[in-house]
Amino acid sequence: MSDQRAPPPALDARCALFLDVDGTLLDFAPTPDGVVLSPAVPRTLQRLQHHLRGALALVSGRPIAQLDALFAPLRLPAAGLHGQERRIEDARVDAAVDLAPVRRIASEAQALARTHPGVIVEDKGANLALHWRAAPQAADAVRAYAHDAVRRLPGYRLQPGDHVLEFMPDGMDKGDAVLAFLREPPFRDRTPVFVGDDLTDEFGFAAAHDSGGWSVLVGGRPGSAARYGLAGPSAVAAWLERSAGALSSQSDDRTEIP
């Protein structure tokens, strides 16, 4: 497939929208807690959630608690930690993981980070991410350590991302999270649309395609299975706003959310 992808069409009222967060709705920052969300984005998501009858979810590597803090006062359906956590309304399901082995790896990783200033160890509980965006010279050392450490962490795999390697429990990814949402209202019997930028989002793209939907790659990463493309988070925000406007004009219910 060509890496020059056409922009996506506007969403229609039959869609179920699944959105990655970092690199999709948010520009990357040197540290995970340094991101800034435009105030317009939560307002647009609220409008879209209304017109899609609730069928909008965040699907992220961040924990759900971080997503709630970022998008407050919205409390959207969400899958956190690549699907290790999942919530619709107040119904929440978390995967059971023995945390003791990953705590030992976290301690080692912190020692590694102290010898490579700029390397960040993001402890997410069941998951552990090693970031080197602020320390590109440490990339080889971080990769070498991570590939050695994962062999000592049964039941885990390494998931590469943008200047990050993440230790993740086997048996769950963003595609599994999408498929779980699609089995339940308000997502059931809708056309899934997955929007993301990273290698982890390829699982979401595949799940959307297998379920009769489509996908949008954010950024110019080569080799993606996504069918449409947008240049970056600002282009995503503009597309979401256009979709909200189109859905509003199509809706029989003309009552807008203030």
Side-chain angles (χ1 to χ4, degrees), residues 23-102:
T24 297
L25 297 175
L26 297 169
D27 285 306
F28 286 112
T31 63
D33 59 356
V35 296
V36 177
L37 180 67
S38 166
V41 171
R43 292 196 294 268
T44 301
L45 295 183
Q46 187 179 29
R47 292 177 63 204
L48 284 169
Q49 186 187 35
H50 170 71
H51 289 301
L52 296 175
R53 301 295 187 261
L56 184 156
L58 304 175
V59 183
S60 174
R62 290 179 181 266
I64 288 177
Q66 285 188 14
L67 298 177
D68 286 347
L70 276 170
F71 290 88
L74 287 184
R75 193 171 182 271
L76 297 165
L81 301 179
H82 305 276
Q84 297 294 320
E85 308 171 334
R86 196 169 62 86
R87 179 189 70 207
I88 297 181
E89 296 180 348
D90 291 326
R92 177 164 170 156
V93 178
D94 295 348
V97 177
D98 179 6
L99 298 181
V102 77

Side-chain angles (χ1 to χ4, degrees), residues 53-194:
R53 301 295 187 261
L56 184 156
L58 304 175
V59 183
S60 174
R62 290 179 181 266
I64 288 177
Q66 285 188 14
L67 298 177
D68 286 347
L70 276 170
F71 290 88
L74 287 184
R75 193 171 182 271
L76 297 165
L81 301 179
H82 305 276
Q84 297 294 320
E85 308 171 334
R86 196 169 62 86
R87 179 189 70 207
I88 297 181
E89 296 180 348
D90 291 326
R92 177 164 170 156
V93 178
D94 295 348
V97 177
D98 179 6
L99 298 181
V102 77
R103 295 280 67 73
R104 290 192 291 270
I105 297 300
S107 179
E108 293 178 6
Q110 292 287 2
L112 175 73
R114 286 192 291 272
T115 68
H116 295 279
V119 170
I120 295 171
V121 179
E122 186 183 8
D123 192 339
K124 304 180 183 182
N127 293 26
L128 184 74
L130 308 183
H131 300 262
W132 63 86
R133 181 177 299 278
Q137 72 283 357
D140 289 345
V142 173
R143 290 191 185 103
Y145 166 73
H147 284 282
D148 172 71
V150 77
R151 292 195 289 268
R152 298 182 278 111
L153 198 56
Y156 271 72
R157 71 181 192 277
L158 279 179
Q159 177 62 57
D162 192 328
H163 293 82
V164 62
L165 278 171
E166 186 160 350
F167 296 87
M168 292 174 51
D170 288 330
M172 179 58 72
D173 56 46
K174 290 184 178 182
D176 295 317
V178 168
L179 294 175
F181 278 124
L182 290 173
R183 289 192 288 267
E184 303 165 339
F187 300 89
R188 190 169 54 216
D189 299 324
R190 287 177 169 267
T191 301
V193 176
F194 194 100

